[in-house]
Amino acid sequence: MMSDCNEMLVEQKVTYSLEMNGKFFVIENVPARVNPETGEQFFCPSTVERLQQIILNQEEPVRFVETPVYNFAT
């Protein structure tokens, strides 16, 4: 089955999350183009650069979230 080259992408604000060096980062209101069928998110290069700046420069967060961590293995 071939992929449709004319996929419909919708401009949305999404929440981007990343784990790096044992730290979990959450960045809200990130502009993205989203495939409504698959949920796949696409970011423009300038958005990716800004995400990297926020994380690597450890900018001041707007808030903190307490997150429980579970172990899948029994």
Side-chain angles (χ1 to χ4, degrees), residues 26 28 59-64:
V26 177
E28 298 177 316
E59 294 186 13
E60 186 69 27
V62 294
R63 64 188 172 99
F64 287 87

Side-chain angles (χ1 to χ4, degrees), residues 24-68:
F24 192 66
F25 298 89
V26 177
I27 304 172
E28 298 177 316
N29 299 311
V30 179
R33 292 173 37 215
V34 180
N35 181 320
E37 290 183 19
T38 65
E40 189 172 6
Q41 300 173 348
F42 300 90
F43 302 99
C44 71
S46 62
T47 299
V48 173
E49 282 183 35
R50 180 69 183 121
L51 289 168
Q52 291 173 343
Q53 282 178 347
I54 291 169
I55 293 168
L56 295 176
N57 295 337
Q58 297 186 15
E59 294 186 13
E60 186 69 27
V62 294
R63 64 188 172 99
F64 287 87
V65 178
E66 185 176 339
T67 306

